[in-house]
Amino acid sequence: MDLLASLPIGDIVELVLGLALGGVVTGLLAGVFGVGGGAVIVPVLAVLFDHLGVPDDIEMQLAVGTSLAIIIPTSIRSFRAHAARGSVDRPALRAWLLPVTLGAVSGAGVAAFVSSDALKLVFALFGLGMSANLLFGRDDWRLADDLPGWRATSIWGFGIALLSALIGIGGGALGALFLKLHNRPIHVAIGTSSGLGALIAVPGAIGYAVAGLPHLAQLPPLSIGYVSLIGFALMAPISVLVAPIGVRLAHGLSKRRLTVAFGVFLALVAARFLYDLAT
């Protein structure tokens, strides 16, 4: 069934404008915070796919898989901009390469067997936790003066990637938090975590595409498994173009107000998902 053709023109315009705005916000977040913007992309896409009549039991998987695909070019553009400013810890990225890839593939595999409601709950809990850290965390909090050994760093990388692939984020927020708590300067933590986003998003998106192949009959047109090419085509180019602007903001402005705004946004998104689960 051609789900797009059945939508009124007004709804299509609304969805396109919503995706364009989501792309702008995603790009800014990618540059400013070193995140792929999945915290914005997932709820926007969830609304989009609800409009398109995607079945509730696979709606969240499609939003998460598409989010990971969108994060790929955004994270790469953000990473290159941060690297040009010398704010990337390349040894940390190299240590994370294998465990992060394994974690992202594992997360996509787990998501294929859990319900959309379960993914919404995980996303909501993540949003509340990150919101609390953004709003009430302190810059001088430390776990250690340097990164732990290779084994511990690998375990952390696997866990970050697993959770990120489950909820459709690039892992930048979690990666930046981990690096900051281990005494990395904030700009280095942000720049390095932007590279982490690509390491998670590429295998994660591929995993969701494969996992969704048996459900193509229920998915919107132009979907490769749980990855919507329509959502990707509308959001990814805008977010890639805007990401360098976010990088300039990150290096030229105090981020406290932006941090508070992002924290409030995550809390509202989490509350919205929890409301949906309760009704």
Side-chain angles (χ1 to χ4, degrees):
M1 179 176 61
D2 193 342
L3 297 173
L4 278 176
S6 66
L7 286 176
I9 294 298
D11 285 350
I12 294 176
V13 171
E14 178 185 348
L15 294 174
V16 170
L17 291 177
L19 286 168
L21 178 60
V24 170
V25 176
T26 296
L28 287 175
L29 291 177
V32 172
F33 295 105
V35 303
V40 176
I41 299 171
V42 171
V44 169
L45 289 177
V47 172
L48 163 68
F49 298 139
D50 183 59
H51 273 283
L52 291 177
V54 175
D56 291 342
D57 59 341
I58 58 172
E59 173 188 297
M60 195 66 177
Q61 283 89 338
L62 185 59
V64 170
T66 306
S67 171
L68 289 170
I70 293 169
I71 285 169
I72 295 172
T74 306
S75 293
I76 292 174
R77 184 71 184 274
S78 176
F79 171 74
R80 293 180 64 183
H82 280 290
R85 294 173 178 265
S87 56
V88 172
D89 186 334
R90 295 183 184 275
L93 277 182
R94 285 194 292 268
W96 269 336
L97 179 59
L98 180 59
V100 162
T101 301
L102 293 175
V105 172
S106 300
V110 170
F113 297 99
V114 299
S115 67
S116 281
D117 284 350
L119 292 179
K120 284 183 180 180
L121 179 60
V122 173
F123 190 99
L125 294 176
F126 160 80
L128 289 175
M130 288 305 301
S131 174
N133 174 69
L134 289 167
L135 295 174
F136 307 114
R138 291 172 47 179
D139 288 338
D140 59 352
W141 284 356
R142 294 285 184 274
L143 289 177
D145 291 333
D146 203 352
L147 293 176
W150 177 85
R151 181 174 298 178
T153 300
S154 296
I155 293 173
W156 274 101
F158 179 88
I160 289 172
L162 176 67
L163 176 61
S164 300
L166 273 175
I167 59 179
I169 64 171
L174 295 172
L177 175 61
F178 173 80
L179 292 168
K180 190 163 71 73
L181 290 175
H182 287 86
N183 204 32
R184 290 298 187 269
I186 183 61
H187 289 99
V188 172
I190 290 173
T192 306
S193 66
S194 66
L196 181 64
L199 293 180
I200 292 172
V202 171
I206 293 172
Y208 273 87
V210 173
L213 291 178
H215 305 278
L216 286 179
Q218 299 173 278
L219 295 169
L222 300 178
S223 294
I224 301 177
Y226 289 134
V227 175
S228 168
L229 297 182
I230 296 171
F232 176 84
L234 288 174
M235 290 189 74
I238 296 173
S239 64
V240 168
L241 290 173
V242 173
I245 299 174
V247 172
R248 288 197 291 272
L249 288 173
H251 285 265
L253 297 174
S254 167
K255 294 195 305 298
R256 182 56 191 165
R257 289 185 179 178
L258 292 170
T259 299
V260 170
F262 190 32
V264 170
F265 170 79
L266 284 176
L268 291 174
V269 169
R272 187 278 173 84
F273 277 140
L274 291 174
Y275 176 79
D276 286 347
L277 291 171
T279 56

